[in-house]
Amino acid sequence: MGPNETRNVILAIVISLGIMLGFEFFYNAPNRERLAEAQRAQAQLQAQQEPSASADTSDGAGAPATSPSGIVTREQALGASSGRIVIDTGEVDGSISLQGARIDDLNLREYRRTLDPASPEVTLLSPINTQFGHDAFFGWESRSGETTSTLSDSRSQWTAAEGSQLTPSTPVTLTFNAGNGQTIERTISVDEHFMFTITDVVRNGTGAPLEVRPFGTVRREGMPEGFRNNAIVMQGLIGAFGPNNSLQQRRFQDADKHARDRVRGRVGEDERLEEGQGTGGWLGITEHYWLAAIIPDQSERVSVYFDSRTEDAVNDYRAAYRGSWREVPAGGEITYTQRFFAGAKRYELLRAYQAGGPEAGGGAPIPRFDDAIDWGNFWFLTRPFFAMLHWFGQMFAGWGIVFNFGLAILASTVVIKLFMFPLVYQSFKSMAKMRGLQPKMKEIQERYAADKQRQQQEILKLYQTEKINPVAGCVPILLQIPVFFALYKTLTVTIEMRHEPFVGWVRDLSAQDPTSLFNLFGLLPFDVPSFLMIGLWPILYGVSMWALQALSPPPTDPVQAQIFRFLPILFTVMFAAFPAGLVIYWTWSNTLSILQQYVIMRRQGVETQLDKFLAKRLKATAAE
């Protein structure tokens, strides 16, 4: 590729990036702010509406609930409920509704909605027909011949002993009388974390055998509170099921399209978004950091499906399963146990449940449960990178350091640099030689200024004589691409990085730098729009990029040189929207690269811009 073609390619890249960034900052970002404001206003309007007398009309695991005309507040729904059992553990608090034995009120005690320690707890589950309705319920179907009916569902009224309270040391027992001598006794227990165990005993007091099968449903009405569409984070319906318990994922956007297509008649009334049959597995609904998932008995043959429907302009999302038919003999009983996870997607905890055994409360192993964390298609990069960050983070935490994951990022960068050093050494060495050849290259350009083809031939001959590979300088950049992706993914999807502080002004490594150049980093008393948030760390990154460029041989073409001088500014603006942890990594990585390259260039006898600057300053000082 000749100089003109190279220049055109670089120009095309820069112009494309400029258009993308301009569209993002001046169109998408303001639109997101307006949309968020409209959603807040709509939420306030809905919260002010009067409670509706409409009941939840869910019939078993299949049909969606009919949304009422008015959406009640969470407090109204909890206050109007016909009986509740309190949930109280070290990590969660909430309650279980006796109507349907629904787990529909759950807060995560260790997680706050914002960085403020006094902010409310994260609410994961809320009663259906409230603003962010999200729950789970479990029931039974029965059949006689070809007729299938519901034995218990989300509307069934259960009873419990007065004063019952669910804690890790005190399970609760609920009873439902289905009539005709058929009863269900349900025992619910919870561990110290987020796993509920539901054991049903179905008793048949009739004189004839009874055929029944279990089902379970996780459902959500509308998007989660504070939902942000992030292409790098999987949010929606998720599970591991089917013949090989393979991972199945459908984003909320996919479910929305399915619901629209059903309204438009493009899909059948009973057509599901996803279906599968197999033994065991799990299914549920995942958000950025939280998961609500049902784990059937791992020896149970189950039929699983994802579905979404639109009711009164609100989409109803469901992940549900039906178990196998079994016979309850006349005057006999059967027992069935399943589990329900509702909490934070902490890696070590998910791994413990996946492995089963004593650490998971004695439960059976859950296949691919840690895949609830969105490792992405390049999991072979993100998993090892997270493992290294997590190891360093735990080590620094053991030393009593608060900003342990920030130091883990710095330590991981050093490890990566050491690992890559043998690969990049020759590249840096080649770049040092190229910088030393700048006078000869300039002489060739001046001598053959009128003959560009001859100029290029002479430069290539010079490369061959000096045994220099001009493409070698691309090696460090190419090696950094997978690292960039792995760290970006890890910082974005893992809850271990959520609200993790670093020294100074960075209080959340997973969010962008909170300072801005346009209010002098907080010195001026006004807030800056999100698309103008160019923090101090992105600026430090831009400075490090400029310094690194100063050590590299400049392009021979003046236009290319001018473009390269503009790149640090462009990347500073682009990196301003990235998580602070990623910008810290890249700035620290550039700093280490500067040190590496400087040492190599000095060993090659090449004078750098830093040497010239220091010599100039020392000369000026001596003259004074």
Coordinates of all heavy atoms in Angstrom, one line a residue, residues 158-229:
W158 N -53.0 -20.1 49.9 CA -52.3 -21.0 50.8 C -52.5 -20.5 52.3 O -52.8 -19.3 52.5 CB -50.8 -21.1 50.5 CG -50.5 -21.7 49.2 CD1 -50.8 -21.1 47.9 CD2 -49.9 -22.9 48.9 NE1 -50.4 -22.0 46.9 CE2 -49.8 -23.1 47.5 CE3 -49.4 -23.9 49.7 CZ2 -49.3 -24.2 46.9 CZ3 -48.9 -25.1 49.2 CH2 -48.8 -25.2 47.8
T159 N -52.2 -21.4 53.2 CA -52.3 -21.0 54.6 C -51.0 -21.4 55.3 O -50.3 -22.2 54.8 CB -53.4 -21.7 55.3 OG1 -53.3 -23.1 55.2 CG2 -54.8 -21.3 54.8
A160 N -50.7 -20.7 56.4 CA -49.4 -21.0 57.1 C -49.7 -20.6 58.6 O -50.6 -19.9 58.9 CB -48.3 -20.1 56.6
A161 N -48.9 -21.2 59.4 CA -49.1 -21.0 60.9 C -48.8 -19.5 61.2 O -47.9 -18.9 60.5 CB -48.1 -21.8 61.7
E162 N -49.6 -18.9 62.0 CA -49.4 -17.5 62.4 C -48.1 -17.2 62.9 O -47.5 -18.0 63.7 CB -50.5 -17.1 63.4 CG -50.6 -15.6 63.6 CD -51.7 -15.2 64.5 OE1 -52.6 -16.1 64.8 OE2 -51.8 -14.1 65.0
G163 N -47.5 -16.1 62.4 CA -46.1 -15.8 62.9 C -45.0 -16.5 62.2 O -43.8 -16.3 62.6
S164 N -45.3 -17.2 61.2 CA -44.2 -17.9 60.4 C -43.3 -16.9 59.8 O -43.7 -15.9 59.3 CB -44.8 -18.8 59.3 OG -45.6 -19.8 59.9
Q165 N -42.0 -17.2 59.9 CA -41.0 -16.4 59.3 C -39.9 -17.2 58.7 O -39.4 -18.2 59.4 CB -40.4 -15.5 60.4 CG -39.4 -14.5 59.9 CD -39.0 -13.5 61.0 OE1 -39.7 -13.2 61.9 NE2 -37.9 -12.8 60.8
L166 N -39.5 -16.9 57.5 CA -38.5 -17.7 56.8 C -37.1 -17.1 57.1 O -36.8 -16.0 56.7 CB -38.8 -17.7 55.3 CG -37.8 -18.4 54.4 CD1 -37.7 -19.9 54.8 CD2 -38.2 -18.3 52.9
T167 N -36.3 -17.9 57.7 CA -34.9 -17.6 57.9 C -34.0 -18.8 57.6 O -34.6 -19.9 57.4 CB -34.6 -17.2 59.4 OG1 -34.7 -18.4 60.2 CG2 -35.6 -16.1 59.9
P168 N -32.7 -18.6 57.5 CA -31.9 -19.8 57.2 C -32.0 -21.0 58.2 O -31.8 -22.1 57.8 CB -30.5 -19.2 57.2 CG -30.6 -17.8 56.8 CD -31.9 -17.4 57.5
S169 N -32.5 -20.6 59.4 CA -32.6 -21.7 60.4 C -34.0 -22.1 60.7 O -34.3 -23.1 61.4 CB -32.0 -21.2 61.7 OG -32.6 -20.0 62.2
T170 N -35.0 -21.4 60.0 CA -36.4 -21.7 60.3 C -37.2 -21.8 59.0 O -37.6 -20.8 58.4 CB -37.1 -20.7 61.2 OG1 -36.9 -19.3 60.6 CG2 -36.4 -20.6 62.6
P171 N -37.3 -23.0 58.4 CA -38.1 -23.1 57.2 C -39.6 -22.8 57.5 O -40.0 -22.8 58.7 CB -37.9 -24.6 56.8 CG -36.7 -25.0 57.5 CD -36.7 -24.2 58.8
V172 N -40.4 -22.6 56.5 CA -41.8 -22.4 56.7 C -42.6 -23.5 56.0 O -42.2 -24.0 54.9 CB -42.3 -21.0 56.3 CG1 -41.6 -19.9 57.1 CG2 -42.0 -20.8 54.8
T173 N -43.8 -23.8 56.5 CA -44.6 -24.8 55.8 C -46.0 -24.1 55.5 O -46.6 -23.5 56.3 CB -44.9 -26.0 56.8 OG1 -43.6 -26.6 57.1 CG2 -45.8 -27.0 56.1
L174 N -46.3 -24.3 54.2 CA -47.6 -23.7 53.7 C -48.5 -24.9 53.3 O -48.0 -26.0 52.9 CB -47.4 -22.9 52.5 CG -46.7 -21.5 52.7 CD1 -45.3 -21.6 53.1 CD2 -46.8 -20.7 51.4
T175 N -49.8 -24.7 53.3 CA -50.7 -25.8 53.0 C -51.8 -25.2 52.1 O -52.3 -24.1 52.2 CB -51.4 -26.3 54.2 OG1 -50.4 -26.8 55.2 CG2 -52.3 -27.5 53.9
F176 N -52.1 -26.0 51.0 CA -53.2 -25.6 50.1 C -54.1 -26.8 50.0 O -53.7 -27.9 49.7 CB -52.6 -25.3 48.7 CG -53.7 -25.1 47.7 CD1 -54.5 -24.0 47.8 CD2 -53.8 -26.0 46.6 CE1 -55.5 -23.8 46.8 CE2 -54.8 -25.8 45.7 CZ -55.6 -24.7 45.7
N177 N -55.4 -26.5 50.2 CA -56.5 -27.5 50.0 C -57.1 -27.3 48.7 O -57.8 -26.3 48.4 CB -57.5 -27.4 51.1 CG -58.5 -28.5 51.1 OD1 -58.6 -29.3 50.2 ND2 -59.3 -28.6 52.2
A178 N -56.9 -28.3 47.8 CA -57.5 -28.2 46.4 C -58.9 -28.7 46.3 O -59.5 -28.7 45.3 CB -56.6 -28.9 45.4
G179 N -59.4 -29.3 47.4 CA -60.7 -29.8 47.4 C -60.7 -31.3 47.0 O -59.7 -31.8 46.5
N180 N -61.8 -32.0 47.2 CA -61.9 -33.4 46.8 C -60.8 -34.3 47.5 O -60.4 -35.3 46.9 CB -61.8 -33.6 45.3 CG -63.0 -32.8 44.6 OD1 -64.1 -32.8 45.1 ND2 -62.6 -32.3 43.5
G181 N -60.4 -33.8 48.7 CA -59.4 -34.6 49.4 C -58.0 -34.5 48.9 O -57.1 -35.3 49.3
Q182 N -57.7 -33.5 48.0 CA -56.4 -33.3 47.4 C -55.8 -32.1 48.1 O -56.3 -31.0 48.1 CB -56.5 -33.1 45.9 CG -57.1 -34.3 45.2 CD -57.5 -34.0 43.8 OE1 -57.3 -32.8 43.3 NE2 -58.1 -34.9 43.1
T183 N -54.6 -32.3 48.7 CA -53.9 -31.2 49.4 C -52.4 -31.2 49.0 O -51.9 -32.2 48.5 CB -54.0 -31.4 50.9 OG1 -53.4 -32.6 51.3 CG2 -55.4 -31.3 51.4
I184 N -51.8 -30.0 49.2 CA -50.4 -29.8 48.9 C -49.8 -29.2 50.1 O -50.3 -28.2 50.6 CB -50.2 -29.0 47.7 CG1 -50.9 -29.5 46.4 CG2 -48.7 -28.8 47.4 CD1 -50.8 -28.6 45.2
E185 N -48.7 -29.8 50.6 CA -48.0 -29.2 51.7 C -46.6 -28.8 51.1 O -45.9 -29.6 50.6 CB -47.8 -30.2 52.8 CG -47.0 -29.6 54.0 CD -46.8 -30.7 55.1 OE1 -47.7 -30.8 56.0 OE2 -45.8 -31.4 55.1
R186 N -46.3 -27.5 51.3 CA -45.1 -26.9 50.7 C -44.2 -26.4 51.8 O -44.6 -25.6 52.7 CB -45.4 -25.8 49.8 CG -44.2 -25.0 49.2 CD -44.6 -24.1 48.1 NE -45.1 -24.9 47.0 CZ -45.6 -24.3 45.9 NH1 -45.8 -23.0 45.8 NH2 -46.1 -25.1 44.9
T187 N -43.0 -26.9 51.8 CA -42.0 -26.4 52.8 C -40.9 -25.6 52.0 O -40.3 -26.1 51.0 CB -41.3 -27.6 53.5 OG1 -42.3 -28.4 54.1 CG2 -40.2 -27.1 54.5
I188 N -40.7 -24.4 52.4 CA -39.8 -23.5 51.8 C -38.6 -23.2 52.8 O -38.9 -22.8 53.9 CB -40.4 -22.2 51.4 CG1 -41.6 -22.4 50.4 CG2 -39.4 -21.3 50.7 CD1 -42.4 -21.2 50.0
S189 N -37.4 -23.4 52.3 CA -36.2 -23.1 53.1 C -35.3 -22.2 52.3 O -35.5 -22.1 51.1 CB -35.5 -24.3 53.6 OG -35.0 -25.1 52.4
V190 N -34.4 -21.5 53.0 CA -33.5 -20.6 52.3 C -32.1 -20.7 53.0 O -32.0 -20.9 54.2 CB -34.0 -19.1 52.4 CG1 -34.1 -18.6 53.8 CG2 -33.2 -18.2 51.5
D191 N -31.1 -20.6 52.1 CA -29.7 -20.7 52.7 C -29.3 -19.3 53.1 O -30.0 -18.3 53.1 CB -28.8 -21.4 51.7 CG -28.5 -20.5 50.4 OD1 -29.0 -19.4 50.4 OD2 -27.9 -21.1 49.5
E192 N -28.0 -19.1 53.4 CA -27.4 -17.9 53.9 C -27.3 -16.9 52.7 O -27.0 -15.7 53.0 CB -26.1 -18.1 54.5 CG -26.1 -18.9 55.8 CD -26.7 -18.2 56.9 OE1 -26.9 -17.0 56.9 OE2 -27.0 -18.9 58.0
H193 N -27.5 -17.3 51.5 CA -27.3 -16.4 50.4 C -28.6 -16.2 49.6 O -29.5 -15.4 50.1 CB -26.2 -17.0 49.4 CG -24.9 -17.3 50.1 ND1 -24.1 -16.3 50.6 CD2 -24.3 -18.5 50.4 CE1 -23.1 -16.8 51.2 NE2 -23.2 -18.1 51.1
F194 N -28.8 -16.8 48.4 CA -29.9 -16.4 47.6 C -30.7 -17.6 47.1 O -31.5 -17.5 46.2 CB -29.5 -15.6 46.4 CG -28.6 -14.4 46.7 CD1 -27.3 -14.4 46.2 CD2 -29.1 -13.4 47.4 CE1 -26.5 -13.3 46.5 CE2 -28.3 -12.3 47.7 CZ -27.0 -12.3 47.3
M195 N -30.5 -18.8 47.7 CA -31.1 -20.0 47.1 C -32.2 -20.5 48.1 O -32.0 -20.8 49.2 CB -30.1 -21.1 47.0 CG -30.6 -22.4 46.3 SD -31.0 -22.1 44.5 CE -29.3 -22.2 43.8
F196 N -33.4 -20.6 47.4 CA -34.6 -21.1 48.1 C -34.8 -22.6 47.7 O -34.6 -22.9 46.5 CB -35.9 -20.3 47.7 CG -35.8 -18.9 48.2 CD1 -35.1 -17.9 47.5 CD2 -36.5 -18.5 49.3 CE1 -35.1 -16.6 47.8 CE2 -36.5 -17.1 49.7 CZ -35.8 -16.2 49.0
T197 N -35.2 -23.4 48.6 CA -35.6 -24.8 48.3 C -37.0 -25.0 48.6 O -37.5 -24.7 49.7 CB -34.7 -25.8 49.1 OG1 -33.3 -25.5 48.8 CG2 -35.1 -27.2 48.8
I198 N -37.8 -25.5 47.6 CA -39.2 -25.7 47.7 C -39.5 -27.1 47.6 O -39.2 -27.8 46.5 CB -40.0 -24.9 46.6 CG1 -39.7 -23.4 46.7 CG2 -41.5 -25.1 46.6 CD1 -38.6 -22.9 45.7
T199 N -40.1 -27.7 48.6 CA -40.4 -29.1 48.6 C -41.9 -29.3 48.8 O -42.5 -28.8 49.8 CB -39.7 -29.9 49.8 OG1 -38.3 -29.7 49.6 CG2 -40.1 -31.3 49.8
D200 N -42.5 -29.9 47.8 CA -44.0 -30.1 47.8 C -44.3 -31.6 48.1 O -43.7 -32.5 47.5 CB -44.6 -29.7 46.5 CG -44.7 -28.2 46.3 OD1 -44.4 -27.5 47.2 OD2 -45.1 -27.8 45.2
V201 N -45.3 -31.8 48.9 CA -45.9 -33.1 49.2 C -47.3 -33.1 48.7 O -48.1 -32.4 49.3 CB -45.8 -33.5 50.7 CG1 -46.4 -34.9 50.9 CG2 -44.3 -33.5 51.1
V202 N -47.6 -33.8 47.6 CA -49.0 -33.8 47.1 C -49.7 -35.0 47.6 O -49.2 -36.2 47.4 CB -48.9 -33.8 45.5 CG1 -50.4 -33.8 45.0 CG2 -48.2 -32.6 45.0
R203 N -50.8 -34.8 48.3 CA -51.5 -35.9 48.9 C -52.8 -36.1 48.2 O -53.5 -35.2 47.9 CB -51.7 -35.7 50.4 CG -50.4 -35.6 51.2 CD -50.7 -35.6 52.7 NE -49.4 -35.7 53.5 CZ -48.7 -34.6 53.9 NH1 -49.2 -33.4 53.7 NH2 -47.6 -34.8 54.6
N204 N -53.1 -37.4 48.0 CA -54.4 -37.7 47.3 C -55.3 -38.5 48.3 O -55.0 -39.7 48.5 CB -54.0 -38.6 46.0 CG -55.3 -39.0 45.3 OD1 -56.4 -38.5 45.5 ND2 -55.1 -40.0 44.4
G205 N -56.3 -37.8 48.8 CA -57.2 -38.5 49.7 C -58.4 -39.1 49.1 O -59.3 -39.5 49.8
T206 N -58.4 -39.2 47.7 CA -59.5 -39.8 47.0 C -59.3 -41.3 46.9 O -58.2 -41.8 47.2 CB -59.7 -39.2 45.6 OG1 -58.6 -39.6 44.8 CG2 -59.7 -37.7 45.7
G207 N -60.3 -42.0 46.4 CA -60.2 -43.4 46.2 C -59.7 -43.8 44.9 O -59.7 -45.0 44.5
A208 N -59.2 -42.8 44.0 CA -58.7 -43.2 42.7 C -57.3 -42.5 42.6 O -57.1 -41.5 43.2 CB -59.7 -42.7 41.6
P209 N -56.5 -43.1 41.7 CA -55.1 -42.5 41.5 C -55.3 -41.1 40.8 O -56.3 -40.9 40.1 CB -54.4 -43.5 40.6 CG -55.5 -44.3 40.0 CD -56.6 -44.4 41.0
L210 N -54.3 -40.3 41.1 CA -54.3 -38.9 40.5 C -53.0 -38.7 39.7 O -51.9 -39.0 40.2 CB -54.4 -37.9 41.7 CG -54.3 -36.4 41.3 CD1 -55.5 -36.0 40.5 CD2 -54.2 -35.6 42.6
E211 N -53.2 -38.2 38.5 CA -52.0 -37.9 37.7 C -51.7 -36.4 37.8 O -52.6 -35.5 37.6 CB -52.2 -38.2 36.2 CG -51.7 -39.6 35.8 CD -51.6 -39.7 34.3 OE1 -52.7 -39.6 33.7 OE2 -50.5 -40.0 33.8
V212 N -50.5 -36.0 38.2 CA -50.1 -34.6 38.3 C -48.7 -34.4 37.8 O -47.9 -35.3 37.6 CB -50.1 -34.2 39.8 CG1 -51.5 -34.3 40.4 CG2 -49.1 -35.1 40.6
R213 N -48.4 -33.1 37.5 CA -47.1 -32.7 37.1 C -46.8 -31.3 37.6 O -47.7 -30.5 37.7 CB -46.9 -32.8 35.6 CG -47.6 -31.7 34.8 CD -47.3 -31.8 33.3 NE -48.1 -30.8 32.6 CZ -48.0 -30.8 31.2 NH1 -47.2 -31.6 30.5 NH2 -48.8 -29.9 30.6
P214 N -45.5 -31.0 38.0 CA -45.2 -29.7 38.6 C -44.9 -28.7 37.4 O -44.5 -29.1 36.3 CB -43.9 -30.0 39.4 CG -43.2 -31.1 38.6 CD -44.4 -32.0 38.0
F215 N -45.0 -27.5 37.8 CA -44.5 -26.4 36.9 C -44.0 -25.2 37.7 O -44.3 -25.1 38.9 CB -45.6 -26.0 35.9 CG -46.8 -25.2 36.6 CD1 -46.7 -23.9 36.9 CD2 -48.0 -25.9 36.8 CE1 -47.8 -23.2 37.5 CE2 -49.0 -25.3 37.4 CZ -48.9 -23.9 37.7
G216 N -43.2 -24.4 37.1 CA -42.7 -23.2 37.7 C -42.5 -22.1 36.7 O -42.2 -22.4 35.5
T217 N -42.7 -20.9 37.1 CA -42.6 -19.7 36.2 C -41.9 -18.6 36.9 O -42.2 -18.2 38.0 CB -44.0 -19.3 35.8 OG1 -44.7 -20.3 35.2 CG2 -44.0 -18.1 34.8
V218 N -41.0 -18.0 36.2 CA -40.4 -16.7 36.5 C -40.9 -15.7 35.5 O -40.8 -15.9 34.3 CB -38.9 -16.7 36.4 CG1 -38.3 -15.3 36.8 CG2 -38.3 -17.7 37.4
R219 N -41.5 -14.6 36.0 CA -42.2 -13.7 35.1 C -41.8 -12.2 35.5 O -41.4 -11.9 36.6 CB -43.7 -13.8 35.1 CG -44.3 -13.6 36.4 CD -45.8 -13.8 36.4 NE -46.4 -13.8 37.8 CZ -47.7 -13.9 38.0 NH1 -48.6 -14.0 37.1 NH2 -48.1 -13.8 39.3
R220 N -41.9 -11.4 34.5 CA -41.6 -10.0 34.7 C -42.5 -9.2 33.8 O -42.8 -9.5 32.6 CB -40.2 -9.6 34.3 CG -39.9 -8.1 34.2 CD -38.5 -7.8 33.9 NE -37.7 -7.9 35.2 CZ -37.7 -7.0 36.1 NH1 -38.6 -5.9 36.1 NH2 -37.0 -7.1 37.2
E221 N -43.1 -8.1 34.4 CA -43.9 -7.2 33.6 C -43.1 -5.9 33.3 O -42.7 -5.2 34.2 CB -45.2 -6.8 34.4 CG -46.2 -7.9 34.4 CD -47.5 -7.5 34.9 OE1 -47.6 -6.5 35.8 OE2 -48.6 -8.1 34.6
G222 N -42.8 -5.7 32.0 CA -42.1 -4.5 31.6 C -40.6 -4.7 31.9 O -40.1 -5.7 32.5
M223 N -39.8 -3.6 31.5 CA -38.4 -3.7 31.7 C -38.0 -3.4 33.2 O -38.8 -2.9 34.0 CB -37.8 -2.6 30.9 CG -37.9 -2.8 29.4 SD -36.9 -4.2 28.9 CE -37.0 -4.1 27.1
P224 N -36.8 -3.9 33.6 CA -36.3 -3.6 34.9 C -36.2 -2.2 35.2 O -36.0 -1.3 34.3 CB -35.0 -4.3 35.0 CG -35.0 -5.3 33.8 CD -35.9 -4.7 32.8
E225 N -36.2 -1.8 36.5 CA -36.0 -0.4 36.9 C -34.6 0.0 36.5 O -33.6 -0.7 36.7 CB -36.2 -0.3 38.4 CG -36.1 1.2 38.9 CD -36.4 1.3 40.4 OE1 -36.6 0.2 41.0 OE2 -36.5 2.4 40.9
G226 N -34.5 1.2 35.9 CA -33.2 1.7 35.5 C -32.6 1.0 34.3 O -31.4 1.1 34.1
F227 N -33.4 0.3 33.5 CA -32.9 -0.5 32.4 C -32.2 0.3 31.4 O -32.7 1.4 31.0 CB -34.0 -1.3 31.7 CG -33.6 -2.1 30.5 CD1 -32.9 -3.3 30.6 CD2 -33.8 -1.6 29.2 CE1 -32.5 -4.0 29.5 CE2 -33.4 -2.3 28.1 CZ -32.7 -3.5 28.3
R228 N -31.0 -0.1 31.0 CA -30.2 0.5 29.9 C -29.8 -0.5 28.9 O -29.3 -1.6 29.3 CB -29.0 1.2 30.5 CG -29.3 2.4 31.4 CD -28.0 3.1 31.7 NE -27.3 3.6 30.5 CZ -26.1 4.2 30.6 NH1 -25.5 4.3 31.7 NH2 -25.6 4.7 29.4
N229 N -30.1 -0.3 27.7 CA -29.8 -1.2 26.6 C -28.3 -1.2 26.4 O -27.8 -0.2 25.9 CB -30.6 -0.9 25.4 CG -30.3 -1.9 24.3 OD1 -29.8 -3.0 24.5 ND2 -30.6 -1.5 23.0

